[in-house]
Amino acid sequence: MDHIWKKKDLLSLYDLNADEITEILDTAEEFKKVNQRNVKKVPALRGKTIVNFFVEPSTRTILSFELAEKRLSADTINISASTSSLKKGETLLDTVRNIEAMQVDLVVIRHSAPGAADFLAKNLNVGVINAGDGAHSHPTQGLLDIFTMREKKGSIKGLNVSIIGDILHGRVARSNIWGLLKLGANVTICGPRTLVPREFEQIGVRVCDKIQDALEGADVVNMLRIQQERQEGGFFPSTAEYSKYFALNKRTIKYLSPDALIMHPGPINRGVELDSEIADGPQSVILEQVTNGLAVRMGVLYLITGFLNNEKK
Ligand code: CP
């Protein structure tokens, strides 16, 4: 079967067109069926070696990639910054060149520096998948969010999606915005002015200052984490002040339709951007996002290795 996907890397949803995004979502739908079977393993990536190189912490993404690789029968190796020679002063490129010299097929990289995955992709022959680079991009998170919206709501076109929280430092926000706009959604962003760049208006995103305005009429609300590790600039007076104006809780949920989905990429700061009773309530699809992430990553790995196989012929 001839695929639309013709890329050795997945770096950002900004780089993809609607057909490429849709092919990933459709492929993931098939892998979701595999994950629901009694035997959840297929031989699609047998003989392939994938290195998961996580220089920044992760729970969901690293486990999801590793499990996706295993379900596709690939051989996988995980390395972290603390156990690699980055600790001895080796450059990122030298480290990954050495990994490449061992004839691996794909590197999945998470790094705190925006552009780290792009840099490696330009300088390596192996495929590179961006598992989150600083505040820039987290394409598989964007894809799993969009997959969940499409599965629950039927279509992305015309869907009203509000993204609330730290947009400035939000690689999940950027990935959602790029992907959703390409598929025809109406996107609203909301949060303190210091964390919501007005420039997004220029690409067709609605910006609002009040959570009530972002919640009313939304089909989906994606609550983002306040990234304490990226808040050195004092972007808001205190966490309590942030929660008072921008949390989804018992007081603010009354503005949201009972049919609207509540999403969060995790990890949740419970009681800060999202109260526990909402995170665990009937409108929340947060754990379904995690389930879907596995299928989406299987889809991405399958399409990229398929392209690399054809290139070698
Ligand atoms: N959503 C997400 O990227 O979570 P982790 O940081 O745990 O991978």
Side-chain angles (χ1 to χ4, degrees):
M1 182 183 151
D2 199 23
H3 288 292
I4 293 165
W5 187 266
K6 304 272 184 260
K7 289 183 166 70
K8 84 170 182 66
D9 312 298
L10 174 64
L11 303 174
S12 162
L13 297 194
Y14 183 84
D15 304 329
L16 307 189
N17 61 37
D19 289 342
E20 289 167 323
I21 295 172
T22 302
E23 183 171 51
I24 295 173
L25 302 180
D26 292 346
T27 308
E29 232 167 47
E30 296 307 311
F31 283 120
K32 185 158 180 178
K33 291 178 201 157
V34 171
N35 288 331
Q36 288 162 341
R37 293 191 327 214
N38 200 17
V39 177
K40 300 177 177 62
K41 197 157 176 156
V42 290
L45 267 64
R46 196 157 54 197
K48 301 290 176 197
T49 309
I50 302 177
V51 173
N52 302 310
F53 188 17
F54 277 61
V55 184
E56 217 188 31
S58 169
T59 299
R60 279 147 289 270
T61 313
I62 192 165
L63 287 176
S64 182
F65 267 111
E66 190 181 354
L67 193 52
E69 291 150 9
K70 288 190 156 81
R71 294 254 166 111
L72 293 168
S73 306
D75 296 314
T76 72
I77 301 165
N78 293 349
I79 56 169
S80 67
S82 59
T83 55
S84 79
S85 287
L86 285 177
K87 284 283 263 188
K88 300 180 204 161
E90 186 170 56
T91 67
L92 178 67
L93 185 56
D94 277 340
T95 302
V96 184
R97 272 196 180 133
N98 278 272
I99 295 170
E100 184 178 51
M102 296 179 213
Q103 259 107 54
V104 306
D105 298 283
L106 266 175
V107 175
V108 179
I109 174 95
R110 170 169 286 194
H111 201 283
S112 56
D118 294 57
F119 173 71
L120 293 179
K122 283 194 182 79
N123 287 285
L124 297 171
N125 293 319
V126 289
V128 175
I129 298 178
N130 184 1
D133 60 332
H136 174 230
S137 181
H138 191 351
T140 55
Q141 180 70 46
L143 288 165
L144 75 88
D145 291 344
I146 294 169
F147 180 97
T148 307
M149 293 177 208
R150 189 178 83 158
E151 182 177 65
K152 294 279 175 191
K153 293 289 182 183
S155 167
I156 300 298
K157 197 168 170 52
L159 207 62
N160 296 320
V161 181
S162 290
I163 305 169
I164 300 174
D166 182 354
I167 312 295
L168 181 69
H169 301 106
R171 58 192 178 204
V172 177
R174 278 177 185 71
S175 300
N176 268 258
I177 290 167
W178 290 324
L180 286 166
L181 289 179
K182 286 184 181 182
L183 297 183
N186 306 311
V187 181
T188 296
I189 55 177
C190 176
R193 284 213 165 200
T194 47
L195 293 177
V196 180
R198 297 271 137 180
E199 287 74 15
F200 278 105
E201 281 175 341
Q202 289 162 22
I203 58 166
V205 173
R206 172 177 164 244
V207 177
C208 52
D209 296 321
K210 292 198 176 121
I211 190 167
Q212 178 177 346
D213 296 336
L215 295 179
E216 282 173 348
D219 299 304
V220 179
V221 56
N222 201 350
M223 300 302 297
L224 300 189
R225 180 172 73 89
I226 282 300
Q227 302 189 34
Q228 307 290 1
E229 71 275 28
R230 301 191 223 274
Q231 300 295 343
E232 281 151 19
F235 293 93
F236 49 85
S238 67
T239 303
E241 178 92 353
Y242 178 86
S243 297
K244 184 173 167 197
Y245 291 103
F246 297 105
L248 189 57
N249 52 31
K250 223 166 29 185
R251 182 179 58 81
T252 52
I253 200 168
K254 65 174 184 275
Y255 301 119
L256 191 63
S257 157
D259 298 331
L261 306 178
I262 296 171
M263 303 177 77
H264 192 299
I268 305 168
N269 294 312
R270 286 177 182 261
V272 179
E273 67 270 3
L274 192 56
D275 273 10
S276 274
E277 59 198 282
I278 314 284
D280 304 326
Q283 287 177 258
S284 169
V285 292
I286 294 169
L287 290 176
E288 288 179 70
Q289 288 172 256
V290 178
T291 303
N292 292 335
L294 182 57
V296 163
R297 290 180 176 114
M298 288 170 79
V300 167
L301 291 162
Y302 174 79
L303 290 171
I304 290 183
T305 49
F307 171 73
L308 291 170
N309 282 344
N310 283 338
E311 284 289 280
K312 280 184 190 148
K313 277 182 193 158

